[in-house]
Every structure is written in structure tokens, then in C-alpha cells.
């Protein structure tokens, strides 16, 4: 298949790979068959010849998914790109979206190792970033949540974040590739689909490029706060036997909150309390009260103390 893409798209994609530090490495490209991931495939095939492997995850949740994976395999064959189909070992259960996502990334990680790919590319784009920002704003998220989709998360890279959905559709159309239509993208029971439907149906003042700048600025702020928390934790958190002690006095509220979360995770790495629970606990500790969260007893005062509560009798 002969592919000719606009030079401006190729230049932007190459620049994104350079910023992400993966312009010279092997890339495992996650391709579902939708227009976003097919555009990622087409751009990567042009910029990373000989360094690209495409992977399609068949979650086996729809009868059509196996055929769709084979359709992607044919497109990759025509493009001269190695392609693999990945299927989960166990049936997806529970919360379908979160369970499918966890299974998908686990499969992609193993495939990247097997194919000697340093990075995994996904097709998140600027419209996805806008939807994420507005969804998290609606949920009352803080700085970390409002930082949105990160351009890089470990070995996962997202070089399309500065491309709009319309541009990705244009890229596929210019080559004449027919994309897959996943019916779950029309299910308004999913928060993202409902937000996407609302954005498409109203004259809203939220251009994707401005949302991208806001998310980037908040990501920088989140990284700065994480750096400050690391330094403060080294100075203000200590452990005596089985008790963790923290002196968070005279700090801004957000840094107190982050040190509190750091202490709780040191006691129980699997503890994931909601924001409201952290707010209540922080108020208790600042007022020298004792409280429980999970199986951790927390004592307030000048120095906060945290220790595992003994199991209840009976």
C-alpha cells in the first residue's frame, strides 16, 4: 500500500516523538481499528520504518471483535508492518471498562517485552484530553486529576495528544482506509460517551487546543507538588518501630494532604481512600483528634501518628 500523508502531519508527529524521547526506539503501537489508532499506525509507519510493531487486543467482548482484529492485521500486512493479536487469558468481568483497560495494558506490556519494544504507543488525542478534563472537573478532581492524560506514563507514550479527532479522521480518509465502528462508543451509560455526546451537540466554549494547554500546565504543577512532597517526606516523616510519625505543621493545606496520603500508603499500599475521606481525616488530625481509616489508626496533634489497629475481637 502506497501511503502519502501531509508533511505538516508527519513533522508534528516526528516532533512529538522527539519530545517524548522515543524517536529512535522500537515502538509497539496499539491499534484497535478505530480512526484514532489507524492514524497513529499510518504516521508511525512513515516515521519509524523497521522499528514498528502493531498490536490489536481482542477483548472477546463482542462477536465482531475477532474479525475486526483480522481486518487490522490485513491493513498492517498491506503496509508492511508486523502485527500481532492479543487476547486475555481470563474472561473480562466486573466493571467492563476498567477491567478491559487493565487487561489491555497488561497484554501490551508483555507484548512489548517479547518484541523488544522500548515504548508502547496509544492513540489518545486532543479531544480525548478535553473530555477527560471536563469529566474530572465535574467530579471535583484536584490538581493531579485535572492534569488529564499524560503524554508519557512509564513506557506508554501518547504522541497524538496535539492532534484533533478531525485531523486523525482526515489522515485515514486521505489513504482510503475504512475504520472500525465500536458500538460501545455510542453507549451513553459510559461517562466519556455522555461527555462526548454533549460536546458534539452544544455550542460550548472549550476548544481542544486550550484544554490541552490547561492540562499541560496542571501536569507541570502536579509534578512540582510531587517533587516538593518527596523532599518534605524525607525531612518530616519518620518511622519508629511500627509507628509512622509525621510533622506537617506550618505547611500549606495541599502539602499536608499529600504528606498524609504518603503516610497512609506507607502503612497500606493498597489503601485508596476517596478525596472526601482524606478531607475528613485531615480535619481530624489538625484538630488533634483520633480517627480510623481502613485498618489504620491515626492520632492527630503536633506530630501525627499512624499504626495498624489490632484486629477486633469476635
Amino acid at each position: 500500500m502506497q501511503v502519502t500523508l501531509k508533511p505538516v502531519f508527519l513533522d508534528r508527529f516526528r516532533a512529538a516523538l522527539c519530545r517524548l524521547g522515543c524517536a529512535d526506539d522500537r515502538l509497539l503501537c496499539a491499534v484497535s481499528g478505530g480512526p484514532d489508532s489507524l492514524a497513529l499506525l499510518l504516521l508511525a509507519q512513515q516515521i519509524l520504518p523497521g522499528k514498528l510493531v502493531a498490536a490489536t487486543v481482542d477483548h472477546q467482548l463482542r462477536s465482531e471483535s475477532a474479525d475486526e482484529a483480522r481486518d487490522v492485521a490485513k491493513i498492517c500486512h498491506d503496509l508492511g508492518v508486523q502485527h500481532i493479536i492479543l487476547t486475555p487469558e481470563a474472561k473480562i468481568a466486573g466493571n467492563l471498562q476498567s477491567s478491559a483497560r487493565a487487561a489491555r495494558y497488561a497484554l501490551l506490556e508483555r507484548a512489548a517485552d517479547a518484541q523488544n519494544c522500548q515504548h508502547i504507543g496509544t492513540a489518545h488525542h486532543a479531544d480525548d484530553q478535553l473530555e477527560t478534563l471536563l469529566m474530572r472537573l465535574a467530579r471535583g478532581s484536584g490538581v493531579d486529576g485535572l492534569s488529564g492524560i499524560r503524554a508519557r506514563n512509564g513506557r506508554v507514550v501518547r504522541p497524538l495528544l496535539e492532534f484533533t479527532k478531525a485531523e486523525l479522521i482526515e489522515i485515514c480518509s486521505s489513504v482510503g482506509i475504512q475504520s472500525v465502528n465500536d458500538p460501545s462508543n455510542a453507549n451513553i451509560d459510559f461517562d466519556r460517551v455522555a461527555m462526548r455526546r454533549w460536546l458534539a451537540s452544544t455550542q460550548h466554549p472549550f476548544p481542544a487546543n486550550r484544554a490541552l494547554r490547561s492540562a499541560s500546565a496542571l501536569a507541570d504543577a502536579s509534578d512540582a507538588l510531587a517533587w516538593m512532597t518527596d523532599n518534605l517526606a524525607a525531612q518530616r516523616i519518620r518511622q519508629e518501630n511500627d509507628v509512622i510519625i509525621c510533622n506537617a505543621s506550618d505547611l500549606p493545606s495541599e502539602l499536608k494532604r499529600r504528606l498524609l496520603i504518603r503516610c497512609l500508603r506507607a502503612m497500606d499500599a493498597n489503601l485508596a481512600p476517596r478525596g472526601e475521606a482524606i478531607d475528613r481525616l485531615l480535619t481530624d488530625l489538625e484538630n488533634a483528634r483520633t480517627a480510623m481509616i481502613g485498618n489504620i489508626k491515626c492520632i492527630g496533634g503536633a506530630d501525627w501518628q499512624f499504626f495498624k489497629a489490632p484486629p477486633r475481637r469476635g
Side-chain angles (χ1 to χ4, degrees), residues 34-314:
D36 310 340
S37 61
L38 286 175
L40 174 63
L41 172 67
L42 291 168
L43 289 165
Q45 184 261 349
Q46 295 285 291
I47 301 301
L48 296 171
K51 298 179 181 179
L52 179 65
V53 179
T56 300
V57 178
D58 176 9
H59 297 94
Q60 301 180 326
L61 294 173
R62 295 182 295 112
S63 58
E64 307 90 347
S65 63
D67 288 337
E68 292 167 359
R70 285 191 286 270
D71 289 342
V72 175
K74 184 180 184 308
I75 292 171
C76 290
H77 178 268
D78 293 342
L79 290 170
V81 174
Q82 180 185 349
H83 177 264
I84 53 178
I85 297 174
L86 308 173
T87 56
E89 296 175 356
K91 184 178 179 180
I92 303 294
N95 183 306
L96 288 184
Q97 279 197 321
S98 61
S99 297
R101 183 182 185 278
R104 179 167 62 254
Y105 277 100
L107 288 167
L108 291 171
E109 288 278 354
R110 289 200 292 271
D113 289 338
Q115 298 296 326
N116 194 30
C117 292
Q118 293 87 346
H119 310 284
I120 299 168
T122 66
H124 296 86
H125 50 78
D127 295 70
D128 290 329
Q129 187 72 286
L130 173 59
E131 293 163 6
T132 300
L133 196 62
L134 292 176
M135 287 164 55
R136 293 181 180 176
L137 184 64
R139 296 171 188 164
S141 296
V143 173
D144 292 348
L146 292 175
S147 63
I149 303 170
R150 296 300 188 101
R152 184 181 187 112
N153 184 9
R155 72 197 296 190
V156 177
V157 295
R158 300 176 174 111
L160 298 185
L161 276 182
E162 295 187 7
F163 287 76
T164 65
K165 176 81 170 184
E167 289 174 327
L168 302 181
I169 292 174
E170 179 186 343
I171 288 170
C172 292
S173 298
S174 70
V175 180
I177 288 182
Q178 183 66 38
S179 62
V180 170
N181 181 26
D182 186 343
S184 66
N185 290 331
N187 186 349
I188 60 173
D189 290 337
F190 297 136
D191 289 347
R192 183 173 294 279
V193 177
M195 180 61 73
R196 186 174 300 153
R197 182 78 59 88
W198 178 80
L199 286 168
S201 64
T202 185
Q203 292 292 329
H204 61 81
F206 303 116
N209 62 336
R210 293 182 184 175
L212 189 67
R213 288 201 299 270
S214 294
S216 179
L218 285 160
D220 287 343
S222 175
D223 290 342
L225 286 166
W227 180 86
M228 293 174 68
T229 304
D230 287 341
N231 283 273
L232 287 169
Q235 301 167 17
R236 295 185 176 236
I237 296 176
R238 67 184 190 277
Q239 184 165 352
E240 296 180 1
N241 298 321
D242 294 328
V243 180
I244 289 180
I245 301 170
C246 176
N247 178 357
S249 59
D250 302 322
L251 290 176
S253 179
E254 176 63 17
L255 292 174
K256 288 182 179 180
R257 178 187 179 86
R258 287 170 181 265
L259 286 176
L260 170 57
I261 293 172
R262 184 70 61 93
C263 292
L264 295 175
R265 287 180 177 166
M267 295 297 300
D268 184 353
N270 296 318
L271 188 65
R274 292 184 177 273
E276 296 86 348
I278 293 294
D279 291 341
R280 289 193 297 270
L281 179 57
L282 184 58
T283 298
D284 285 336
L285 294 175
E286 289 180 323
N287 287 280
R289 294 195 290 263
T290 298
M292 290 287 299
I293 187 165
N295 65 338
I296 302 173
K297 189 170 185 178
C298 314
I299 301 175
D303 284 338
W304 301 342
Q305 299 180 53
F306 305 88
F307 53 91
K308 294 283 184 69
R312 295 179 181 178
R313 296 182 180 180

